[in-house]
Amino acid sequence: MTHRWACLIGHPVAHSLSPTLHNAAFAAVGMDAHYEARDVAPEDLISAVAAFRQADCLGANVTAPHKQAVLALMDDLSEEVVALGALNTIVNQSGRLIGANTDARGLARWMRQVGIDAAGQPALVLGAGGAARATVWALADLGASSVRVLNRTPEHAQTLIEALRPRLSSTELSWGHLAEAAAPPSAQWHVIVNATSLSHHGEVPVVHPGCYSRDCVAIDLAYNPPETGFMVAARRAGARAENGLGMLLHQAALAFERWTGQAAPMDAYAAALTERVAGR
Ligand code: NAP
């Protein structure tokens, strides 16, 4: 049988956990395949993507800075890629390239699995980049009654909301400045998601303790460090706090499932991740 392959393209890609996760998954299901990270400069994007049409290629993941530029190179786009305006997964279907976004569905699937029930509840999202956009989509998919997006540059939050509002009509969407989260709130939130990149720099978005309701879940989409300042502050205010590893694993699993048609071996992902983190 032909050896198959998949890869990640980005610039840079050296830090990625994806090769660790997907190579462990291929081994666990006994598939003759490998996954590698390829550093692709913007001027080489077209030729890099053309290679994904080869019969032995399963597909690819796409990270910054290519998530939007790659859209024009696809033959078809999934519903959530059209809504989110970015993709993170390419599936090779007999030489046709299908663009998918597993971030939003991965976050929603993980939240369902760990019992974070947003249905009929108000949610707050801090940040308005690509991850925040996927988060708003996921919260609406889970049936949140409302989602408010707060961002350092409020115009970016406004753009995000205006792009998603026509497609997410069952959820009330609004936006404001990030500073609003630090002020005494007029309402409490059931889910608060930190989708800013502050945790990467050891910084914390300021959230007033009164924002957290008794059964609130605070989710930091960052996972390095695994316990962020945002999570510590949320726990101190009485909330349950989670990091972004669940989203990471489930977005990887959904990509694996699209490429192979097989259920992803979640235990293999978790074991590979534990080993990688321990080896750091
Ligand atoms: P992005 O598109 O670059 O967006 C970054 C966001 O952070 C923007 O809203 C930006 O605000 C805000 N920000 C940056 N520096 C800030 C500062 N000093 N003060 C306040 N706000 C600041 O990044 P992204 O791809 O959305 O990623 C955001 C986070 O999600 C990262 O921690 C990333 O690792 C994480 N993530 C996790 C997963 C997962 O699987 N767990 C997947 C994707 C992303 P402005 O609009 O004002 O610039």
Side-chain angles (χ1 to χ4, degrees):
M1 215 171 80
T2 323
H3 180 80
R4 312 295 297 276
W5 61 277
C7 73
L8 167 72
I9 55 167
H11 188 61
V13 287
H15 60 283
S16 174
L17 291 171
S18 294
T20 302
L21 294 177
H22 289 305
N23 284 320
F26 288 140
V29 301
M31 195 168 165
D32 181 18
H34 81 280
Y35 184 103
E36 64 189 47
R38 295 184 179 174
D39 194 317
V40 173
E43 59 271 26
D44 298 325
L45 184 63
I46 292 175
S47 59
V49 171
F52 303 156
R53 298 182 191 276
Q54 293 167 7
D56 56 351
C57 178
L58 295 162
N61 288 128
V62 181
T63 190
H66 305 311
K67 283 185 170 190
Q68 278 102 27
V70 83
L71 292 176
L73 306 175
M74 297 296 104
D75 299 307
D76 204 356
L77 300 173
S78 69
E79 171 205 345
E80 62 273 17
V81 172
V82 175
L84 298 168
L87 63 75
N88 72 339
T89 299
I90 297 172
V91 184
N92 178 17
Q93 282 183 354
S94 309
R96 278 175 54 77
L97 298 184
I98 316 299
N101 190 313
T102 63
D103 277 340
R105 287 194 193 278
L107 176 59
R109 190 165 90 168
W110 166 73
M111 286 175 69
R112 278 194 186 92
Q113 203 171 83
V114 298
I116 302 174
D117 184 8
Q121 302 288 348
L124 181 67
V125 176
L126 310 177
R133 202 172 268 238
T135 301
V136 174
W137 192 98
L139 288 164
D141 188 53
L142 292 165
S145 56
S146 65
V147 180
R148 185 157 178 78
V149 175
L150 302 180
N151 196 46
R152 171 181 67 175
T153 312
E155 295 78 17
H156 295 167
Q158 181 180 9
T159 304
L160 183 161
I161 294 300
E162 286 173 357
L164 288 181
R165 196 175 266 144
R167 295 170 191 281
L168 305 178
S169 52
S170 309
T171 301
E172 188 189 323
L173 302 177
S174 62
W175 56 272
H177 194 285
L178 185 61
E180 184 187 307
S186 54
Q188 291 182 319
W189 306 97
H190 189 73
V191 178
I192 302 180
V193 180
N194 178 20
T196 71
S197 45
L198 279 167
S199 295
H200 279 305
H201 313 292
E203 294 174 49
V204 184
V206 182
V207 180
H208 192 283
C211 290
Y212 296 97
S213 65
R214 212 163 39 107
D215 51 0
C216 180
V217 184
I219 304 167
D220 198 331
L221 297 188
Y223 47 80
N224 185 19
E227 180 80 2
T228 68
F230 170 77
M231 293 166 63
V232 170
R235 280 212 190 92
R236 203 175 291 136
R240 167 181 169 188
E242 303 279 351
N243 65 24
L245 277 177
M247 176 180 177
L248 176 79
L249 294 188
H250 281 269
Q251 63 77 27
L254 286 168
F256 183 90
E257 288 165 16
R258 293 289 306 267
W259 295 331
T260 66
Q262 301 190 45
M266 298 307 291
D267 290 351
Y269 280 152
L273 199 62
T274 308
E275 202 173 301
R276 166 87 180 253
V277 171
R280 263 191 183 144

